Amino acid sequence: MALFSANRHTCALLAATALTALAVQPVLAADAIIAPVEPQITENLPVVLSPWQVRVRALGVVPENRGYVNEVPGSGIKASNTVVPELDISYYFTNNIAAELILGTTYSNITGKGAIDGLDVGKTWLLPPTLTLQYHFTDFGAFKPYIGAGVNYTFFYNQKNHDADYLKVKNTFGGALQVGFDYMIDDHWGFNVDVKKLYLRPNFDVTVGGTEMSGKAKLDPWLIGTGITYRF
């Protein structure tokens, strides 16, 4: 009788354990189904920018209009102001150091002043590619000012004489200084203002009334531009 009683208790214990396991299993399965997925926290990664940048500007060319004809005391030279489109291409070596190549072409009407006031000498086109090395300040958020200095080589072409019998303005090197800023709307697009000073003093040959003469045009123009920046 004792053995039968022990077996009966053992069977009851096994049955209770089995029922408990059957009851817990659905709960665990339900928990597995409805358990929320932990959200993955990702930080915003910085935008990787290309070192290349382009700008398109409207450019005002304002010469200083100093110069002279060697053979005419008291003579002066005047070149007209112009507004032209301009393209420049920049390459960033670092976040602060960049090189910029400025491309654009313009024309200039050349007239006399002083002792030759009223003389319509002629007209010339000029192409003044300018390469500058710039330092960009990066501590002002979207406002990014810069300064630069470089070299210019100006080609004079398509020259036409008017009152003069002959006109030849000679190609020349010159220095360049630059200051400006970009205001970036986002990582790629921005608004640009730029001012450059070119030290441009070409020699010229001119013939007036059959007399051959020479001189120097101290143009030293200000280049004042505004436009759009795009950083690749």
Side-chain angles (χ1 to χ4, degrees), residues 121-137:
V121 179
K123 177 179 179 180
T124 182
W125 282 81
L126 54 154
L127 177 67
T130 303
L131 181 65
T132 60
L133 186 65
Q134 302 171 330
Y135 184 85
H136 291 253
F137 300 89

Side-chain angles (χ1 to χ4, degrees), residues 68-146:
Y68 52 85
V69 177
N70 292 320
E71 292 78 7
V72 183
S75 61
I77 298 296
K78 182 178 180 181
S80 60
N81 301 339
T82 56
V83 178
V84 294
E86 181 222 49
L87 170 70
D88 73 65
I89 303 169
S90 298
Y91 184 88
Y92 283 78
F93 301 101
T94 70
N95 287 335
N96 300 102
I97 305 298
E100 180 185 69
L101 178 63
I102 300 118
L103 300 172
T105 188
T106 185
Y107 67 89
S108 184
N109 293 309
I110 302 170
T111 56
K113 66 178 186 178
I116 55 173
D117 187 33
L119 180 67
D120 182 4
V121 179
K123 177 179 179 180
T124 182
W125 282 81
L126 54 154
L127 177 67
T130 303
L131 181 65
T132 60
L133 186 65
Q134 302 171 330
Y135 184 85
H136 291 253
F137 300 89
T138 56
D139 301 327
F140 304 99
F143 177 67
K144 300 184 183 299
Y146 57 85

Side-chain angles (χ1 to χ4, degrees), residues 2-3 14 89 163:
L3 179 60
L14 291 173
I89 303 169
D163 292 343

Side-chain angles (χ1 to χ4, degrees), residues 16-32:
T17 301
L19 290 172
T20 301
L22 291 172
V24 170
Q25 186 174 3
V27 173
L28 292 176
D31 288 343

Side-chain angles (χ1 to χ4, degrees), residues 152-228:
N152 158 266
Y153 187 77
T154 298
F155 300 89
F156 294 89
Y157 66 98
N158 198 22
Q159 302 184 46
K160 297 180 179 180
N161 49 291
H162 293 162
D163 292 343
D165 303 316
Y166 172 80
L167 173 66
K168 175 64 175 180
V169 184
K170 300 178 181 180
N171 301 342
T172 186
F173 280 100
L177 297 176
Q178 179 181 35
V179 63
F181 70 86
D182 292 303
Y183 188 87
M184 302 306 294
I185 300 169
D186 57 28
D187 291 314
H188 297 285
W189 291 97
F191 173 74
N192 175 258
V193 173
D194 183 270
V195 177
K196 288 181 284 291
K197 177 68 170 179
L198 300 187
Y199 293 92
L200 182 59
R201 300 180 177 185
N203 295 315
F204 64 85
D205 295 325
V206 63
T207 301
V208 180
T211 303
E212 296 181 359
M213 296 178 285
S214 63
K216 182 181 289 290
K218 297 182 178 180
L219 303 177
D220 295 346
W222 290 95
L223 308 182
I224 305 168
T226 183
I228 301 299

